[in-house]
Amino acid sequence: MIAAAGVAAAVPGQITTPVIDYRQLSPLLIVFGAALLGVLVEAFAPAAARRLTQILLAGTGFVAAFVMVVVNHSFRGLVASRAVAVDGPALFLDGTILLLALGSLLLLADRSGGNADALVADPAALPGTQEASALLASTDTVTEAFPLMSFSVGGMMLFSQSNSLLTMFVALEVLSLPLYLMAGLARRRRLLSQEAALKYFLLGAFSSAFFLYGLAMIYGFAGSVELGDIFNAAANTSKDDTFLFLGMALLLVGLLFKIGAAPFQAWTPDVYQGSPTPVTAFMSAGTKVAAFGALLRVFYVGFGDIRWDWRPIMWVVSIATMVVGAVLAITQQDIKRMLAYSSIAHAGFILVGFTATNAQGLAGTMFYLLTYGFTTIGAFAIVGLVRDGNGEATHLSQWAGLGRRAPFQAAAFAFFLLALAGIPLTSGFMAKFYVFQAAINGGAAGLVVVGVITSAITAFFYARVIVLMFFAEPVADGPVVAEASGYAAGAVGLGLAVTLVLGIVPASVMTLAHNAAVFVR
């Protein structure tokens, strides 16, 4: 006999074991299986065959996992002793993470070949030669990055669909630890990359510590770490329950660290700048989806009945995040740091949809995460192509006149910037429209006013880069724009296609998000 909670009925004298639904857990199992196989490939495969094998293994794993997400689309329930939720938001966000992982994999594959960021010894030899272009397209991303990426993707998927705070904490570590290593993989800019890895580790340690202390407080309050039990306990509590509100605050701080919200964003630009660009793109897109998925699940499922206690705090956090991201981005002279502060501002815009606390806000938030992820991967793909003798040319002054040297790459980057600014006929405009509309319907019109103002501010620094690329005189010793390999071209093309299609005909994906916007408890 099987118990209702999905656990085998207890027999006196025997250990109760959970019933595992392998079909519903198959996307996770496939990704983690591909990661384990990738470790074996690193250990035993010949060095010459390692790179292609790792690319095929990781790509096949992501595609197979996505297929199983589609196969499971109609299932709604709690599996693995109610520790993992398989519901609309979990499936939508898992699919989003896997698609973004495929885009990031293309960047990683493009930058894992060649001479490990040796580039060329003489910068004067760079302009105009095919040999320089080939060298410029390479970097130091080693093949160990592929299984690390697969482990992180599996952790992201589990993080967004955990129905138990303890499972969520384990997933947080699984997604974070590989990213700490990946951030330090750049060899040519070793000190900057290792500094980024150390700072990201410290950020992650703070996040984990706050989350774990919050978990302990909530367990002391509810006697359980399962979100459904926490919901029932919170619904029947008094307003002066210290454990509940202290635990909820600590959990919130831990999750806000992961999404890069103010005032917990301090080292995020340093991490973006120092990490290899494919890793930065993966962190910017994938981690944000997973962290917001966890934030939505914890507060909509576990604390949904006391939303009026935490909603005012989220107003303040959302406003601070939008303002800090938008204002500080104006002062940046490095393109990766500018995109980092842009990411912080977008976290604030997504929090507008979260703060609506309605099904429309949930659907809009999921749609925003999908559109933002593809746009930012495409933008970082272009950033990785602009290089000089010292590696990537990320100072804004080096991008002057880029539209004359490489019109297609400059036009593609300009289109991504317009999408990030929320210009009509781009996915960014539709995403902002949906979350702002949800906030108005949810009684948060004040947030929308701040969002519109900060959107105008962000449009200024995006437009500044576009003007610099197309209307400024090129510098004499400017960087070379490497010819995009098939992998890089695929990443840019995928980003352009999604950004354009979801800006013109977003209805089908938005309908899918609306249909998925129901949590199970």
Side-chain angles (χ1 to χ4, degrees):
M1 180 179 291
I2 304 302
V7 181
V11 177
Q14 293 185 358
I15 297 175
T16 301
T17 57
V19 174
I20 305 298
D21 190 330
Y22 289 101
R23 174 177 167 177
Q24 310 309 327
L25 294 174
S26 57
L28 285 170
L29 298 177
I30 290 171
V31 172
F32 283 127
L36 292 173
L37 288 175
V39 174
L40 295 178
V41 168
E42 282 299 311
F44 300 109
R50 225 174 267 165
R51 175 173 174 265
L52 182 59
T53 304
Q54 292 284 26
I55 294 170
L56 292 175
L57 183 59
T60 302
F62 296 154
V63 171
F66 182 79
V67 170
M68 291 309 301
V69 168
V70 175
V71 170
N72 294 336
H73 75 280
S74 61
F75 182 86
R76 299 292 184 272
L78 302 173
V79 299
S81 295
R82 300 176 61 85
V84 178
V86 182
D87 54 15
L91 292 168
F92 187 95
L93 293 176
D94 277 0
T96 299
I97 290 169
L98 289 167
L99 291 175
L100 295 175
L102 283 170
S104 301
L105 179 65
L106 293 173
L107 291 184
L108 202 61
D110 175 64
R111 302 290 295 278
S112 64
N115 192 20
D117 204 26
L119 298 181
V120 290
D122 181 15
L126 283 175
T129 68
Q130 292 182 348
E131 292 80 2
S133 180
L135 286 168
L136 288 170
S138 67
T139 190
D140 58 346
T141 307
V142 292
T143 52
E144 291 93 327
F146 295 101
L148 288 173
M149 182 182 187
S150 295
F151 276 119
S152 186
V153 169
M156 290 174 183
M157 295 169 63
L158 183 59
F159 193 48
S160 65
Q161 64 181 127
S162 296
N163 190 56
S164 161
L165 291 179
L166 191 57
T167 306
M168 193 173 286
F169 174 74
V170 173
L172 175 62
E173 297 307 302
V174 174
L175 81 88
S176 299
L177 291 173
L179 290 176
Y180 305 151
L181 297 174
M182 293 172 71
L185 287 179
R187 293 178 182 173
R188 187 170 179 83
R189 297 190 301 167
R190 181 171 295 175
L191 291 179
L192 190 61
S193 182
Q194 291 179 350
E195 178 187 347
L198 177 60
K199 288 183 174 179
Y200 196 37
F201 170 75
L202 293 175
L203 281 175
F206 283 125
S207 175
S208 298
F210 278 107
F211 191 92
L212 190 58
Y213 275 114
L215 185 158
M217 293 288 181
I218 294 298
Y219 181 77
F221 160 73
S224 173
V225 292
E226 186 183 312
L227 295 179
D229 294 337
I230 295 168
F231 175 85
N232 294 330
N236 300 311
T237 189
S238 62
K239 293 292 184 182
D240 59 352
D241 198 303
T242 304
F243 277 169
L244 170 62
F245 294 107
L246 185 56
M248 186 169 60
L250 290 170
L251 287 176
L252 178 62
V253 170
L255 292 170
L256 291 178
F257 264 111
K258 296 308 292 184
I259 67 174
F264 311 108
Q265 85 297 337
W267 281 345
T268 301
D270 298 335
V271 175
Y272 276 47
Q273 183 182 15
S275 301
T277 297
V279 178
T280 303
F282 177 55
M283 289 191 298
S284 179
T287 305
K288 197 174 294 295
V289 175
F292 267 104
L295 184 69
L296 288 164
R297 188 167 296 278
V298 169
F299 281 84
Y300 277 39
V301 177
F303 304 122
D305 204 53
I306 56 171
R307 64 174 64 90
W308 299 113
D309 292 307
W310 53 261
R311 199 178 184 216
I313 299 173
M314 298 311 301
W315 269 64
V316 175
V317 172
S318 178
I319 291 172
T321 305
M322 289 187 287
V323 171
V324 168
V327 172
L328 293 184
I330 296 176
T331 65
Q332 302 307 309
Q333 296 299 313
D334 184 275
I335 198 74
K336 290 176 74 173
R337 292 184 69 88
M338 188 202 75
L339 290 174
Y341 280 106
S342 167
S343 174
I344 294 167
H346 280 280
F349 297 139
I350 299 171
L351 284 172
V352 173
F354 170 83
T355 310
T357 62
N358 53 30
Q360 187 182 11
L362 175 57
T365 298
M366 294 191 297
F367 181 81
Y368 202 124
L369 291 168
L370 174 65
T371 59
Y372 171 78
F374 279 104
T375 302
T376 195
I377 286 175
F380 279 111
I382 299 296
V383 170
L385 296 176
V386 183
R387 305 176 69 83
D388 60 16
N390 296 316
E392 292 172 350
T394 58
H395 196 277
L396 281 179
S397 63
Q398 296 174 293
W399 286 59
L402 191 70
R404 302 184 190 180
R405 285 203 198 92
F408 174 77
Q409 289 88 339
F413 192 68
F415 183 70
F416 290 132
L417 293 180
L418 293 175
L420 292 173
I423 301 301
L425 299 182
T426 67
S427 60
F429 171 78
M430 299 308 304
K432 285 184 180 179
F433 174 79
Y434 285 131
V435 295
F436 288 171
Q437 186 181 54
I440 292 172
N441 294 338
L447 275 182
V448 176
V449 172
V450 177
V452 171
I453 294 173
T454 51
S455 293
I457 296 173
T458 60
F460 168 77
F461 61 77
Y462 294 134
R464 180 182 64 171
V465 178
I466 295 174
V467 169
L468 186 69
M469 289 192 298
F470 288 98
F471 299 102
E473 288 295 325
V475 290
D477 55 347
V480 168
V481 179
E483 276 189 40
S485 70
Y487 293 120
V492 174
L494 184 62
L496 288 172
V498 174
T499 302
L500 181 62
V501 170
L502 293 186
I504 299 174
V505 284
S508 58
V509 177
M510 196 63 215
T511 300
L512 181 64
H514 273 291
N515 294 337
V518 179
F519 285 109
V520 298
R521 182 176 288 115

